[in-house]
Amino acid sequence: MVSTAPERVDRESREDAFVLWFEEVGIADINLVGGKNASLGEMIRQLSSKGVSVPTGFATTAYAYRYFVEKAGLEKKLRKLFSDLDVEDMENLRDRGKQARALVLNTPFPKDLEAAIVTAYFKLCERYGHNTESCDRFEDPVDREACKSYSYDTDVAVRSSATAEDLPDASFAGQQETYLNVHGAKAVLESCHKCFASLFTNRAISYRTIKGFDHFAVALSVGVQKMVRSDLASSGVMFSIDTETGFKNAALVTAAYGLGENVVQGAVNPDEYFVFKPTLQQGFKPILEKRLGSKEIKMVYDIGGGKLTKNVPVAEPDRGKFAISEDEILTLAKWACIIEDHYSSVRGQYTPMDIEWAKDGITGELFIVQARPETVQSQKSGSVLKHYKLNGSGDIISTGRAVGEAIGQGAARVILDVHKIDEFQAGEVLVTNKTDPDWEPIMKKSSAIVTNQGGRTCHAAIIAREMGIPAIVGCGDATDTVKTGQDITVSCAEGEEGRVYAGLVPFEIEETVLDNLPDTHTKILMNVGNPEEAFGLAAIPCDGVGLARLEFIIANHIKAHPLALMNFDTLEDPLVKREIAKLTAQYDNKPDFFVDKLAQGVGTIAAAFYPNPVVVRMSDFKSNEYANLLGGRQFEPKEENPMIGWRGASRYYDPNYREAYGLECKALKRVRDEMGLTNVIPMIPFCRTPDEGRKVLAEMEKHGLKRGENGLQVYVMCEIPSNVILADEYSKVFDGFSIGSNDLTQLTLGLDRDSSLVAHIFDERNEGVKTMVKMVIEKAKDNDRKIGICGQAPSDYPEFARFLVELGIDSISLNPDAVLKTRLDIAELEQSL
């Protein structure tokens, strides 16, 4: 697309110009052209040289709007109309909004304003050349002849841009109208007129009133921007921050086929991709997660159909594919970083961004079409940690994508038609297909929101975050499974999956003030298993992760036995084969599915706590647990006592399993080498002898994980008495120890920790266990090896944590709910030592 600015519209000054080109404005010009247009100009002027592509265009000015209002005497008429406005009365709001819009639309533009817009549009057409589609599309003879003679038929987007929008503490996005695939001067003028009128949509009137903005202190600018032919490709929304947790180091990119309005409005469930910003900017390729959306429809040009756009079904094979490539994901994420860095510099404070992008299906190019400050997470206090926790359960009647981390409940109100929103009562849970700005007058009154459609960047999600309301989007079936009047609980506090429970399930809210937490000499680490919780847990002050378990990722995200994936063609159970085929539909080579999912899960945890160390325990399923994975029974033996059987290190070099262990190694190598997350430290569990440790290291080296290269350290679990007794020998093989107090207790006391018959004897505080712990800490220190503990004991027993500190242990890894309290206890203890 051409970027050379045309000759400027000839007026005496910027302040009384009707039209300004994007190249003429910047972020300081919100009062002239509104937030959206000022931002487009800022990016074209400042970021084009950094590789960020933005299609150009022009903006009508705030002066043009006020000139129109003043010439027609509209302010006096509108003030009289709003004299008895009551935004809490839906009928009153609808009536006043309808009259206000009619008043604007029935008032013609002044001729000089009309001429300025048409002249600018024709100049934009000259910049982009002849449109390949027929000029016969135009009903107006003047437009048709102009198109044929001068190629004045360029397709444009006509977008509203209010002078009060995109402020850091208020999001006016979506309050006014946008028109896509607009051709010809007459259509551009009509669309500009409709944009002016949309300053008085019901939702805009309501929103301004709630936020305390004078209706007549806000002016409307209209941006006329060259269309990107994403109807032939894809588009989406991205944030330079995690929208749910406020984690600053991840960019969220969403994508769907066709024009971007469906993603913004929540009409489709888009693909979602997370990218880790710090190592991306170092040149790595850290795509932490790729989540496939259903993408059932796409918005395209309605050529010859009488409308500007239309929705059509997406072909089934395309729904099962990601809408953009990994290279495109990385490019967009890099642009998000560039845009965020620039706006943070301009504003003098950290400014996460909400960005719309589009891919041109003709040229294959990517473009940024809008960028505004994110208005929810950026306004939250980082000094208070709020944690919602269910204290009961109930029947799950629907699930979808969780928005936020809160819990809400109340009587459900199922509404399928926006014209029936006056039936909604304050405090109810809104259940609907999807929302758009017309729903906002009731959204602010709801205790929670549930939608069938939409992803985490859709309208319902954005407004719910802004208003602090829990929401679950993309449920698919909520309007069928939930009934009006039914009491329900909407939980977004259990990871990425939001759950709608029947009934009012009890819950609690814990608030922790994070100001002035003391430092400790002993490193306070955290035990983390679920990648979906990692970004949220990263807000808890700690020194890294002492135990990241692969078992959760394998059981919940991969679900299939690694050998079943490696031997897919020879699987004996047809039902299992069918289920694995469905699970791995995007993968011709089934083992790649295991490597991808494991790398993404580990990478997410590593990214959340980067650059602090993240100790990743390699898989430690027992044979009976492996057998429960899809296809596992074909490859697992039946053992009488799996707890002390074929587990941990003994599997990794065994000819019957070493290939499967190789997949784990490949995943960790990808995390360290391709994602750049070298803070990952692999740890070997249940290593019975030092020689066994050497065999495992040799297997790892075959797959590119060589101890000492690229800073790679390898730790060993200390959970068998031999690990303690031979700690001097293990110190020659490994870089550090982590005490697994659960297994060490059961093997020291000779009991099965899963047996209720001897459960009363199981106690980490037993003198025999404490003697073993003391011995291994002393030996590790003598050999200059790091030693920590990742078992349950310090989380359950504060006195055990004190015992460890007195011995000089390097680190204590705790369950998340015990981290802050234990930090305070240890800080106090260290001061007394």
Side-chain angles (χ1 to χ4, degrees), residues 58-83:
F58 63 88
T60 66
T61 62
Y63 170 77
Y65 170 79
R66 292 194 174 102
Y67 179 81
F68 165 62
V69 170
E70 183 182 346
K71 280 283 188 181
L74 285 175
E75 182 174 342
K76 183 178 180 181
K77 298 174 184 177
L78 288 167
R79 283 194 182 277
K80 182 179 180 181
L81 179 62
F82 291 148
S83 61

Side-chain angles (χ1 to χ4, degrees), residues 274-295:
F274 273 107
V275 182
F276 186 55
K277 297 190 299 187
T279 57
L280 174 72
Q281 292 172 298
Q282 295 170 20
F284 293 96
K285 300 178 179 181
I287 299 176
L288 302 178
E289 182 179 3
K290 293 171 63 179
R291 182 184 291 266
L292 189 71
S294 57
K295 308 183 296 294

Side-chain angles (χ1 to χ4, degrees), residues 646-659:
W646 196 39
R647 60 176 286 198
S650 61
R651 279 182 171 262
Y652 302 161
Y653 59 88
D654 190 300
N656 292 318
Y657 194 79
R658 58 163 49 117
E659 289 183 355

Side-chain angles (χ1 to χ4, degrees), residues 686 717-725 738-751 753 762-764 768-774 776 789 800:
F686 227 75
M717 289 287 293
C718 177
E719 52 195 339
I720 306 170
S722 65
N723 300 144
V724 178
I725 297 165
S738 184
I739 300 167
S741 57
N742 293 349
D743 270 337
L744 186 60
T745 300
Q746 77 165 343
L747 294 173
T748 299
L749 299 178
L751 55 81
R753 61 185 167 100
F762 187 96
D763 191 340
E764 297 95 324
V769 178
K770 290 172 70 176
T771 299
M772 298 293 274
V773 169
K774 181 175 184 291
V776 76
I789 187 167
F800 195 84

Side-chain angles (χ1 to χ4, degrees), residues 644-810:
I644 54 174
W646 196 39
R647 60 176 286 198
S650 61
R651 279 182 171 262
Y652 302 161
Y653 59 88
D654 190 300
N656 292 318
Y657 194 79
R658 58 163 49 117
E659 289 183 355
Y661 180 63
L663 299 182
E664 295 182 34
C665 295
K666 289 176 182 178
L668 258 65
K669 179 175 172 58
R670 180 177 299 176
V671 171
R672 288 179 54 87
D673 294 359
E674 296 181 26
M675 297 184 184
L677 295 163
T678 53
N679 57 325
V680 165
I681 301 172
M683 180 164 65
I684 309 305
F686 227 75
C687 185
R688 293 176 170 96
T689 70
D691 186 57
E692 196 169 47
R694 283 186 278 269
K695 290 179 180 177
V696 171
L697 291 181
E699 287 297 320
M700 295 175 69
E701 190 171 334
K702 290 179 184 177
H703 299 284
L705 290 175
K706 184 176 181 179
R707 181 178 166 227
E709 283 190 0
N710 195 22
L712 177 64
Q713 298 181 70
V714 183
Y715 286 3
V716 64
M717 289 287 293
C718 177
E719 52 195 339
I720 306 170
S722 65
N723 300 144
V724 178
I725 297 165
L726 300 175
D728 292 329
E729 288 299 312
Y730 280 100
S731 294
K732 298 174 184 177
V733 181
F734 296 102
D735 300 286
F737 298 84
S738 184
I739 300 167
S741 57
N742 293 349
D743 270 337
L744 186 60
T745 300
Q746 77 165 343
L747 294 173
T748 299
L749 299 178
L751 55 81
D752 180 355
R753 61 185 167 100
D754 289 341
S755 171
S756 60
L757 299 175
V758 291
H760 62 286
I761 306 172
F762 187 96
D763 191 340
E764 297 95 324
R765 296 167 295 178
N766 178 279
E767 283 304 317
V769 178
K770 290 172 70 176
T771 299
M772 298 293 274
V773 169
K774 181 175 184 291
M775 187 186 304
V776 76
I777 290 175
E778 290 174 347
K779 288 190 175 186
K781 294 286 184 183
D782 289 343
N783 287 282
D784 196 25
R785 288 291 181 258
K786 293 287 186 183
I787 185 160
I789 187 167
C790 60
Q792 187 70 23
S795 298
D796 290 345
Y797 308 119
E799 66 270 27
F800 195 84
R802 288 194 291 273
F803 162 70
L804 295 169
V805 172
E806 290 170 352
L807 291 173
I809 198 165
D810 292 310

